[in-house]
Amino acid sequence: MEDRKKEHLHLAFEASISRAQADPRFMYEPMLSAHPNGKVKPFPFLGKKMNHPFWISSMTGGTQRAGAINVKLAKAAGEFGLGMGLGSCRVLFESDDYWDDFKLRSLIGDDYPFYANLGIAQLEKLLENKESEKIDYLNQQLKTDGTIIHINPLQEAFQPEGDKLKRPPIECIQELLEQTKSPIIVKEVGQGMGMESIRALLKMNIAALEFGALGGTNFTKLEQMRRIDISSIFESFTTVGHTAEEMTMMVNQIVEEGNIKCKQIIISGGIKSLLDGYYLTKICKLPAVIGMGSAFLNYALKDYEELQVFIRNMVDAWQLAEAFLKVK
């Protein structure tokens, strides 16, 4: 006790917080709850269950290093009861060399949601060639619950190897829904979506909308960085888009309008702190979880034990927020 008091005296002047630093989003209620007891409260999501509201967003696949990363992420999803989206599975249609990088169901287990992933350009080609059944085959082979279709027209426009879309993505999504048995999630890849795109998707029978909002990894910027021939004229396209908070507000407005079919949201893109994610899930008028890509990837590049510590800290922090914070 004496040592603790000495530490308090030593650190007291450095531990002050100004009024300007106060988080205006929450009421802090210290009287109404005991400390969390660590018990898990599973909840339904995407027809399965999750133990915690953290989604491992689609990242990478098709290289030796990516395979090792995905194994760690899948193992963590199974251990902690999280949902997971694979990186792009396009390579599986082009080569048989990478299936083991994606066959991760045994690590996750059958209880938690696990989704394959394809780009809108690949979907357009499958539909054009009348090969949409390959998506169902992909899910059967990987034992995934469905497919994430990522929408990335700006990334494709600036990618040196990019594909040019011939049709509006919304038309391809609608055609796919008419042909596949697999649940479909639709997401952007770092710039989010505006009101009309969100409205169109929420009125479709997709399993969930994932934001992929502005503020996290920006693949338009990434592709521009890969090129030495790009004009500075195009640089401003990297700042176009919508934040996760803005998109949450748009979802809420569309829900109030009624007549929606999509009833689940993965809030991802630019979530800088756990309380940012907590706040957005609490104000969202549809059931929502927090999707993170680079945060999980950062720890998956290290030892598995460090990834475990990161997730445990996320779980503990979320439970503290649920115990003592109320959204204003």
Side-chain angles (χ1 to χ4, degrees), residues 118-268:
L118 287 173
I120 186 63
Q122 288 77 59
L123 172 60
E124 186 179 78
K125 289 179 181 178
L126 289 174
L127 293 173
E128 184 179 9
N129 295 331
K130 301 187 183 304
E131 296 177 328
S132 62
E133 73 280 355
K134 286 187 175 181
I135 293 178
D136 290 327
Y137 175 78
L138 180 70
N139 286 308
Q140 290 167 5
Q141 293 302 305
L142 298 179
K143 298 182 179 179
T144 40
D145 297 304
T147 307
I148 298 167
I149 303 296
H150 61 264
I151 312 297
N152 59 337
L154 285 181
Q155 180 190 9
E156 295 286 3
F158 294 111
Q159 187 178 90
E161 315 86 348
D163 297 298
K164 297 298 185 286
L165 300 178
K166 301 175 184 177
R167 301 169 60 189
I170 197 72
E171 291 183 6
C172 293
I173 296 297
Q174 182 58 52
E175 186 174 340
L176 175 63
L177 291 173
E178 293 168 359
Q179 296 182 19
T180 185
K181 301 175 183 178
S182 304
I184 300 299
I185 296 173
V186 178
K187 68 165 290 186
E188 229 279 339
V189 299
Q191 292 180 272
M193 301 182 187
M195 179 71 83
E196 295 308 315
S197 293
I198 295 173
R199 179 180 284 113
L201 286 170
L202 292 185
K203 292 181 180 295
M204 301 174 77
N205 194 28
I206 61 173
L209 167 63
E210 180 174 356
F211 287 176
L214 188 71
T217 302
N218 185 308
F219 282 91
T220 296
K221 183 173 183 177
L222 185 151
E223 297 298 351
Q224 289 189 10
M225 292 168 66
R226 293 180 61 218
R227 296 177 60 171
I228 60 174
D229 63 333
I230 193 75
S231 169
S232 60
I233 291 172
F234 297 105
E235 186 176 351
S236 57
F237 280 90
T238 64
T239 61
V240 171
H242 304 275
T243 66
E245 183 168 3
E246 186 183 2
M247 291 183 71
T248 302
M249 298 304 181
M250 288 189 278
V251 165
N252 287 349
Q253 180 178 330
I254 295 164
V255 169
E256 289 180 356
E257 295 171 1
N259 193 31
I260 64 168
K261 295 180 180 178
C262 172
K263 301 293 180 67
Q264 295 172 110
I265 301 292
I266 301 171
I267 300 174
S268 64

Side-chain angles (χ1 to χ4, degrees), residues 48 103-110 112 114 142-143 145:
K48 294 289 184 79
K103 288 186 174 181
L104 305 171
R105 174 58 88 180
S106 62
L107 296 175
I108 296 174
D110 294 331
Y112 310 116
F114 177 44
L142 298 179
K143 298 182 179 179
D145 297 304

Side-chain angles (χ1 to χ4, degrees), residues 78-91:
E79 178 179 350
F80 291 94
L82 314 180
M84 179 175 172
L86 286 166
S88 174
C89 300
R90 175 180 181 174
V91 68

